[in-house]
Amino acid sequence: MKTTKKIVLPESEMPRYWYNVLADMPNKPLPPLNPKTRKPITPEELEPIFAKALIEQELSTERWIEIPDEVRNLYRIYRPTPLVRASGLEKALDTPAKIYFKNESVSPVGSHKLNSAIPQAYFNKIQGVTSLTTETGAGQWGSALSVAAKHFGLALKVYMVKVSYEQKPYRKAVMNTYGAQVFASPSDTTEIGRKMRAQFPGTSGSLGMAISEAVEEAMKDPNTKYTLGSVLNHVMLHQTIIGLEAEKQMELAGDYPDVVIACFGGGSNFGGITLPFLRHKFVEGKDIRLVAAEPASCPKLTRGQFYYDFGDTEGYTPLLPMYTLGHDFEPASIHAGGLRYHGAGSIVSQLRKDGLVEAVDIKQKETFEAGILFARSEGIIPAPESTHAIAATIREALKAKEEGKETVILFNLSGHGLIDMTAYENYLSGKLENYDVPQEDIDKSIDEIKTLQP
Amino acid sequence: MKTTKKIVLPESEMPRYWYNVLADMPNKPLPPLNPKTRKPITPEELEPIFAKALIEQELSTERWIEIPDEVRNLYRIYRPTPLVRASGLEKALDTPAKIYFKNESVSPVGSHKLNSAIPQAYFNKIQGVTSLTTETGAGQWGSALSVAAKHFGLALKVYMVKVSYEQKPYRKAVMNTYGAQVFASPSDTTEIGRKMRAQFPGTSGSLGMAISEAVEEAMKDPNTKYTLGSVLNHVMLHQTIIGLEAEKQMELAGDYPDVVIACFGGGSNFGGITLPFLRHKFVEGKDIRLVAAEPASCPKLTRGQFYYDFGDTEGYTPLLPMYTLGHDFEPASIHAGGLRYHGAGSIVSQLRKDGLVEAVDIKQKETFEAGILFARSEGIIPAPESTHAIAATIREALKAKEEGKETVILFNLSGHGLIDMTAYENYLSGKLENYDVPQEDIDKSIDEIKTLQP
């Protein structure tokens, strides 16, 4: 009998609830703090910025949270996504391991980011919010939110880091096509933006400045709210739809993963695929490994430390408990823009602290070698971010070969690379660089946040 | 009860045979002619250029041709593709029409071209061929063939029209990532290429030159064959998998199309979705309309004439019976590069002559308006080629609204536009031009081919 290549779930089997891991964690994450008082921030303090339902989800310890029909309807444009047996990659590696991947690249914007963009737009809409703001670096989150905002009739302003705005005009065009307004940040539409432009003429912008602009814009108007595409608990919650589908599909495939792997930026796709499997560990004592693959140039989980730190570089957000490199840490300009973030979300950070998730750091060249092998054996060009998960998968598959084990590996293909072909071009023409981080750089930026501790 | 958004076929339901419309056509297409003798070309004369199995398929009148297991295995990377109810577009148009689309954009290269690239690579491989050549304009076909050639272990040389090579570096990077060699045409690797470069220094190339280079390269070596991504009968044959799946999916949806619509370049995606439905007309006398949507700037089916003409601009191919604008016709540089071809394949041309297919021509701005509406209502940014099908669909849906009819429309979304965002950028910034063709231009280039007739 032929092995099935794709394991497809019928729409009727799409999950009706997101999984909230806070219900099952042995140690809950420490609370976010108000940076001024250093006391746990209250829901009310967050209301000028976020929709109420999202704040509730952020703090909820309910195990299952219902996915509204309106959200499920929009999910159905691309969900359930296929689970694929990577038989071509297995053959290329000549490994006894069985490799599966969840293909989130089939989303119309090419990545998993829509999974949270849709509910964030929806919960804002039903609260009567009329406009959203957000920041975007590489543009994946901005693109996804543009689709969702348009669907629910919300205006959207995206503050895009100036250097990306100039270097990635395609991404901007995608957001414009979906109807969003995109500003190069720092812009002249906000006070902080104008201040930054005056203070640093010719600046190429930063994610920190862009966040500040988007937050300022939301604070100005009670009908405008801010949204974020990773790091926060409610984003992890929405993304669990990935793992909940994969759980059913692995069962249909008649296999169970020994190890689940995803790339790691702020944690949204990693949490999305791994947390539902972590539940099996909590509930049934399953022996399963969860591996986060991060860039060697931004190694918060492997070489960072656990502290309270700001989510942005400017220090406008609440203080979050996280594995961090320090909010002033400047990651090298690797092509995996979505992984260039100094800290890990609170949930994953706590799990890492408790020894429940592992992490590996991988250099840029190894990730692109993995991406090319995957493209040539499976036909899909992976996003630079996703190549980290593939490289970690290949390491596991080769270990399985060495040990003669039929290890079952599941990884998340968070997106395709068709809008990031300059990265592959650089690799193929030998121009791609490997970046490492001297320990003293990490020590230095971590030293700076020690004063922030409560 | 909720309407299902996507109608998904299980892999086990993927068709096992392609449909060959030549078996059922009331009038078969006239034979291709040897340009020197003006006599029907023999299979033997084609063997230096094409694989034998593909020549057999080109001339076969068998109704059902089996899809080899190796081809079906590779199809399973992305097939069956979803049939989608365009409920968002219906709502945006406030139409009683029911709109469905077949989503071929989920292929890993983003278009339907893989459907023929896979079997063409396969049939060459089993004959012992070791290398393939082809030409590519916009790069869709070249990308698809790169994936298929790599899978079957064939070397591949792609001659890419120089202007596209320079303007679309991403497409070139896609082909390189999959392992193909890409040359800007005219190149210095062929005799004809060197001749062209000497004769026209600084030329930006043409599809005609690129075809000549790819054919010359194939003629030089018995283990190298040439491949083509549209126009020919065997390409239409392979593409019928689109319509054969759609046929089953429409049945699952409990609907039957009144009209089937696709964009039209050489005919590959149009033939692919419509021919299996045309069979119902032949066999059961079904009342169904088939509409080809072509650019107003390259209107071969609406304003061309039926003659024998060359497939390329240089005159190296056999003479084919086709609706043509004349092989010297120079289409305006619209963004839908895949539709900039002077002639229609022989099968569709004969069907058009016999009144079995309709055609509409649409100006560039209307197509991008349609593309933007589709992106904002369905979440998918369509390829510039596919926007023609969407514009024609919108015309039908608005007619249905006027007439108060519940017309059922099925169209083919041949690809997504994520690698063509400059086109949308131009549209959104008001830089997109409308092109029309003066009748005397068409008359002039058609006059020139009258001497070619047997």
Side-chain angles (χ1 to χ4, degrees), chain A residues 123-135:
Chain A
F123 288 113
N124 273 286
K125 172 69 180 180
I126 57 168
Q127 183 181 321
V129 169
T130 55
S131 307
L132 298 180
T133 68
T134 199
E135 78 291 331

Side-chain angles (χ1 to χ4, degrees), chain A residues 320-352:
Chain A
L320 300 169
M322 43 163 62
Y323 271 88
T324 179
L325 298 162
H327 64 270
D328 276 338
F329 180 80
E330 280 187 32
S333 58
I334 53 169
H335 286 283
L339 309 185
R340 294 179 66 234
Y341 187 71
H342 66 278
S346 305
I347 287 177
V348 177
S349 291
Q350 186 63 47
L351 294 171
R352 171 81 178 132

Side-chain angles (χ1 to χ4, degrees), chain B residues 14-21 23 53-54 57 60 62-72 75 78-79 114-120 122-123 233-245 272 275-276 279:
Chain B
M14 193 166 72
R16 292 175 183 275
Y17 296 85
W18 291 301
Y19 170 60
N20 181 6
V21 74
L54 297 171
Q57 290 173 7
S60 168
E62 285 292 316
R63 183 168 291 110
W64 299 103
I65 294 181
E66 195 169 2
I67 308 176
D69 274 353
E70 291 82 349
V71 171
R72 295 181 80 243
Y75 275 170
Y78 62 105
R79 305 210 70 85
L114 258 184
N115 300 333
S116 187
I118 293 168
Q120 289 196 46
Y122 169 75
F123 287 114
N233 298 356
H234 66 271
V235 182
M236 306 292 139
L237 176 77
H238 303 152
Q239 292 291 356
T240 58
I241 188 135
I242 303 173
L244 293 166
E245 285 180 5
L275 297 179
R279 191 176 75 84

Side-chain angles (χ1 to χ4, degrees), chain A residues 124-342:
Chain A
N124 273 286
K125 172 69 180 180
I126 57 168
Q127 183 181 321
V129 169
T130 55
S131 307
L132 298 180
T133 68
T134 199
E135 78 291 331
T136 201
Q140 295 265 22
W141 168 248
S143 305
L145 191 65
S146 300
V147 172
K150 176 52 70 179
H151 180 85
F152 291 111
L154 300 167
L156 171 62
K157 290 184 180 174
V158 181
Y159 292 88
M160 186 172 188
V161 176
K162 196 178 165 209
V163 58
S164 298
Y165 183 94
E166 284 162 0
Q167 284 175 1
K168 303 196 175 206
Y170 278 18
R171 282 285 183 198
K172 176 182 163 273
V174 168
M175 292 182 261
N176 288 152
T177 297
Y178 287 124
Q181 270 188 290
V182 185
F183 303 96
S185 169
S187 76
D188 59 4
T189 66
T190 65
E191 226 168 275
I192 182 84
R194 286 187 294 269
K195 193 181 128 196
M196 291 292 161
R197 284 155 71 108
Q199 204 167 334
F200 311 105
T203 174
S204 59
S206 75
L207 212 48
M209 291 184 197
I211 293 180
S212 306
E213 288 202 278
V215 171
E216 180 189 315
E217 194 69 19
M219 302 277 286
K220 273 202 282 219
D221 173 7
N223 293 320
T224 299
K225 300 288 172 203
Y226 169 72
T227 60
L228 188 65
S230 192
V231 178
L232 300 176
N233 299 355
H234 66 272
V235 181
M236 306 291 139
L237 175 77
H238 303 151
Q239 293 291 357
T240 58
I241 187 135
I242 302 173
L244 293 166
E245 285 180 5
E247 196 181 357
K248 294 188 185 196
Q249 288 164 312
M250 287 301 300
E251 204 175 321
L252 288 174
D255 267 324
Y256 189 83
D258 297 300
V259 51
V260 185
I261 299 172
C263 65
F264 197 91
S268 77
N269 98 94
F270 176 79
I273 194 161
T274 61
L275 297 180
F277 287 95
L278 184 60
R279 190 177 74 85
H280 302 181
K281 196 165 192 156
F282 292 141
V283 179
E284 308 161 44
K286 278 273 191 191
D287 186 22
I288 183 169
R289 295 169 50 219
L290 311 175
V291 178
E294 58 183 13
S297 53
C298 195
K300 54 227 160 210
L301 289 175
T302 46
R303 296 171 64 195
Q305 292 185 40
F306 188 83
Y307 276 111
Y308 267 104
D309 196 4
F310 288 114
D312 65 332
T313 50
E314 304 299 310
Y316 290 95
T317 69
L319 284 165
L320 300 169
M322 43 163 62
Y323 271 88
T324 179
L325 298 162
H327 64 270
D328 276 338
F329 180 80
E330 280 187 32
S333 58
I334 53 169
H335 286 283
L339 309 185
R340 294 179 66 234
Y341 187 71
H342 66 278

Side-chain angles (χ1 to χ4, degrees), chain A residues 55-71:
Chain A
I55 298 170
E56 263 171 49
Q57 289 173 8
E58 187 67 20
L59 305 171
S60 169
T61 51
E62 284 292 313
R63 182 167 292 110
W64 299 103
I65 294 182
E66 195 170 2
I67 309 176
D69 275 353
E70 291 82 351
V71 172

